[in-house]
Amino acid sequence: MLKRSLCTAVTLASFALSSSLLADDKLVLYTSQPNSDAQQTVDAFQAAYPDIEVEWVRDGTTRLMTRLRSELSAGVSNPDVLLIADSMTMTSLKQEGHLQSYLSPEREAYDEALYDPEGYFYGTKLITTGIVYNTAAEHQPQRWQDLTGPDYEGLVTMPSPLYSGAALIHMAALSDHPDLGMGYYEALQANRAEAQGGNGGVFNAVASGTKPYGIVVDFLPIREAAKGSPVEFVFPEEGVSAVTEPVAIMQGANNLDAAQKFVDFVLSQQGQELVSQQGYLPAHPAVTPPEGFPARDAIQLMPINIEQALEQEETLKQRFSDLFGG
C-alpha cells in the first residue's frame, strides 16, 4: 500500500512538473489584428523563438475587451500579452491595474509619444484615419472640411465610434481640433453623411462605388489600391488622427519571460519590417514605410490627450449616437 502511494505521489509530482514546464513554454496572446496579420506575427515570433508555443485569440477590440473584462471579473486572467488597436483601451486597463510595466530595451529607438512613459504599453505601428474616394468620383477632397460641402451631400460614409476604436480616437481628435470641433460632426450629419459599423464596410462601399467618399483607416485603401482597387487615399491638410496598435503585458501573466520576448520582438527592427511588409506604417523610425505611403515626416498627426479622451468616451459615443443613430 505504501509502495503504491509512493508511486502515485511520484507520478503526480512528475505530471505537475511536466504541466508547469509546458505552461512556462506557452505564451497566450489576445489580439485584434486581422487573422492573416496575427498568424504572420505569431509565425515570425515563433521562428525567432522556436521553443515558445503561442496560443492566440483574435477578435475586434470591443468584443475582445468584453471577453477579457468578463474573465477578469470572474478572477481569471488568461492572456499573457495584448496586441490591440488603441491606446485608450490600454490606458483604461492600466488605470484599473490590469497591466504591468516593462521597460523594453527596444524603446530607445522610438518617439516618446508612441509609448507609455512607465512602460505599460508600446505603440507598434501608426494607423491613421483620412479620406478615401473612388477614382470615378467627380471630386478629389483634400481637406476634412470638403466633406461638409454641398458637392458631397449624401455621398459620404464613415465608421462608427460605437464599434471602431480608431473611429473613437478620430472623433476625439477632431472634436479637440480648433478648426473642426464637435461642430464638424454636426456638419457631417447636416450633409447627410452615413455611418457604417466599421472601417471594412466603409472601404467596401467606396471601392464598389456605393458611396464615392469615405472616412477610413489608411492601410485598407493604400494596400488595395496597389492591387488595382479603384480608390485613392488622402492625408487631409488639417492632419490625421492615428491609433498605434499597442502591445502590453498583463499583470497576471503566467509566462512573463515569453511575454517580454514578444514585446521586444514586435518592437525590434525585424518585427517592424514585418509591419511594413503587411502594408502598415511602422512605428520604428528606421524602417521604410510600405509602397503608397508618404515619408513619415510628411504626415501631420493631430495631437490627442488620451486620458482626456478616455474621460469623454461615453459623452462622445452618446453624441455620435444622437447624430447618426446606434
Side-chain angles (χ1 to χ4, degrees):
M1 181 70 176
L2 180 60
K3 183 176 181 180
R4 179 180 297 176
S5 298
L6 182 59
C7 289
T8 301
V10 170
T11 300
L12 289 172
S14 298
F15 177 77
L17 179 59
S18 174
S19 298
S20 175
L21 288 172
L22 286 172
D24 286 346
D25 290 336
K26 184 172 75 172
L27 176 75
V28 179
L29 166 69
Y30 278 17
T31 182
S32 62
Q33 285 189 324
N35 280 312
S36 60
D37 294 341
Q39 188 65 68
Q40 290 172 7
T41 301
V42 168
D43 288 347
F45 174 71
Q46 289 192 297
Y49 296 97
D51 295 333
I52 300 176
E53 175 191 353
V54 179
E55 175 185 312
W56 56 282
V57 173
R58 188 273 157 196
D59 210 332
T61 297
T62 300
R63 293 180 63 179
L64 196 63
M65 289 304 99
T66 298
R67 170 176 175 160
L68 177 62
R69 292 187 187 282
S70 177
E71 292 170 350
L72 291 170
S73 66
V76 178
S77 180
N78 287 326
D80 296 301
V81 65
L82 303 177
L83 182 59
I84 57 175
D86 65 272
S87 53
M88 273 182 67
T89 302
M90 288 298 197
T91 299
S92 176
L93 291 171
K94 173 190 172 183
Q95 291 176 351
E96 295 165 11
H98 296 311
L99 305 181
Q100 62 174 287
S101 172
Y102 171 55
L103 297 178
S104 171
E106 299 290 343
R107 74 187 188 281
E108 300 297 336
Y110 286 77
D111 186 321
E112 292 181 0
L114 290 175
Y115 60 86
D116 178 78
E118 298 173 289
Y120 282 93
F121 53 85
Y122 297 87
T124 63
K125 61 187 65 165
L126 291 174
I127 302 177
T128 70
T129 291
I131 297 172
V132 60
Y133 64 87
N134 190 291
T135 53
E138 183 178 357
H139 304 286
Q140 295 80 45
Q142 300 299 311
R143 303 174 68 250
W144 290 115
Q145 293 286 14
D146 290 343
L147 300 183
T148 64
D151 290 336
Y152 299 86
E153 184 176 359
L155 302 178
V156 177
T157 183
M158 60 185 167
S160 169
L162 305 180
Y163 301 96
S164 165
L168 180 60
I169 290 281
H170 184 65
M171 186 176 186
L174 264 64
S175 297
D176 203 37
H177 192 284
D179 298 327
L180 297 169
M182 185 56 70
Y184 180 72
Y185 281 85
E186 295 166 357
L188 285 175
Q189 190 273 339
N191 214 34
R192 299 193 298 115
E194 294 181 2
Q196 302 267 357
N199 285 278
V202 170
F203 172 76
N204 290 335
V206 175
S208 67
T210 305
K211 291 285 185 180
Y213 310 101
I215 297 171
V216 76
V217 290
D218 56 21
F219 68 90
L220 286 171
I222 291 176
R223 187 162 60 186
E224 295 307 311
K227 300 176 184 177
S229 183
V231 294
E232 186 73 29
F233 183 77
V234 176
F235 293 86
E237 294 172 8
E238 301 99 328
V240 291
S241 64
V243 294
T244 60
E245 196 170 276
V247 63
I249 300 173
M250 290 292 293
Q251 181 62 44
N254 291 317
N255 194 336
L256 182 58
D257 181 64
Q260 291 176 347
K261 285 184 170 66
F262 184 85
V263 170
D264 290 344
F265 176 77
V266 295
L267 296 178
S268 70
Q269 190 147 346
Q270 179 185 356
Q272 289 290 292
E273 286 170 354
L274 175 61
V275 167
S276 184
Q277 291 165 19
Q278 291 171 333
Y280 301 98
L281 188 64
H284 196 300
V287 177
T288 303
E291 182 180 354
F293 281 84
R296 187 180 282 99
D297 57 9
I299 300 173
Q300 180 181 340
L301 294 177
M302 291 183 180
I304 181 170
N305 184 321
I306 292 298
E307 293 188 357
Q308 176 182 299
L310 186 60
E311 292 174 1
Q312 297 175 344
E313 177 177 359
E314 293 309 315
T315 301
L316 291 170
K317 287 181 176 179
Q318 185 59 56
R319 185 56 181 148
F320 191 91
S321 181
D322 291 343
L323 289 169
F324 301 98

